[in-house]
Amino acid sequence: MKARGVKFICYYVTMSLIVILSLSACNAEDSVYHEYRCYFIFDTQLHPIPCQLTGIIGNPGHFCKVEAGLEKGIRHIKTTRNYDGATEDVPLTTELENKQRCELGANNCIIIGTSSYDNVLIAYEGQCANCLEQYGGTRYPLSWQKNGTLLHCDKCDRTYDINNGTVVSGDGGRQLYRYQAAFDGQLIRAWN
């Protein structure tokens, strides 16, 4: 009887863990921002270091604001590094790069980098999440503060921790909107 009771308990503990893990996976997907489209691919082999965007990979606490534009028919990626404010303009000159779709959230800006808390690649919407939600529109850019460890919104006066997206000063509220992000050894990707 005891062996049967132990098997019964093990079965229900295992099933409970499966349910909990399933719900956690759903919550991870639900945390991805879908209001504005994000689709970004960047080939680090075509743009090796000293390219700023390539330099964020594997460097905890290093982030870049990323914006895209067309100049004379060629797509350019413009980055601003968090820790020193340095900017870079990277022309995407290969046919494949130049033809790829590129959508960067609410106002053509995402923030991507490696968290110093868990060494994971993170991509955020480049606009203040609380202002986007409260006021609509896309006029709420975030600026680097405190050597790039914080992002600040001038509209609502909230400040966010770059490594986890939480509000660290101001009126509280929601954390920064996140997009999915990955690095496969060659491509940096962000999407929703």
Side-chain angles (χ1 to χ4, degrees):
M1 190 75 165
K2 285 184 180 180
R4 188 172 177 198
V6 170
K7 285 183 182 178
F8 181 77
I9 290 171
C10 288
Y11 172 79
Y12 279 102
V13 168
T14 302
M15 293 308 289
S16 297
L17 285 173
I18 289 170
V19 168
I20 289 169
L21 291 173
S22 299
L23 292 174
S24 296
C26 292
N27 289 339
E29 176 62 28
D30 290 343
S31 69
V32 174
Y33 187 52
H34 291 282
E35 186 71 25
Y36 292 91
R37 191 86 181 105
C38 179
Y39 185 84
F40 176 70
I41 298 175
F42 186 80
D43 191 329
T44 61
Q45 288 185 357
L46 295 175
H47 307 281
I49 291 178
C51 176
Q52 290 182 0
L53 201 49
T54 301
I56 65 171
I57 299 300
N59 287 307
H62 289 206
F63 286 81
C64 283
K65 281 187 182 181
V66 179
E67 299 172 279
L70 282 175
E71 295 176 20
K72 298 180 183 174
I74 296 174
R75 179 170 287 120
H76 287 249
I77 299 297
K78 298 181 184 198
T79 61
T80 306
R81 207 164 39 199
N82 68 323
Y83 61 89
D84 64 359
T87 60
E88 183 177 37
D89 182 343
V90 181
L92 306 181
T93 56
T94 68
E95 184 177 346
L96 179 61
E97 284 182 303
N98 212 20
K99 286 186 177 182
Q100 281 180 338
R101 187 175 91 213
C102 182
E103 298 177 66
L104 297 176
N107 200 18
N108 190 37
C109 180
I110 62 171
I111 297 165
I112 191 164
T114 305
S115 170
S116 63
Y117 294 155
D118 54 12
N119 205 29
V120 171
L121 188 67
I122 300 172
Y124 297 114
E125 168 56 50
Q127 302 284 301
C128 174
N130 289 283
C131 289
L132 276 174
E133 184 175 282
Q134 185 174 356
Y135 306 114
T138 57
R139 298 172 303 282
Y140 318 109
L142 299 165
S143 58
W144 301 119
Q145 282 192 340
K146 199 173 175 190
N147 296 322
T149 59
L150 303 175
L151 285 163
H152 181 75
C153 175
D154 287 336
K155 170 76 175 169
C156 68
D157 206 31
R158 285 181 179 89
T159 301
Y160 301 87
D161 183 324
I162 188 65
N163 289 291
N164 63 14
T166 59
V167 177
V168 294
S169 71
D171 287 341
R174 72 175 310 106
Q175 64 184 29
L176 292 174
Y177 289 124
R178 281 180 86 161
Y179 296 114
Q180 293 185 64
F183 177 65
D184 67 5
Q186 178 177 346
L187 301 175
I188 298 172
R189 299 182 319 127
W191 72 98
N192 60 358

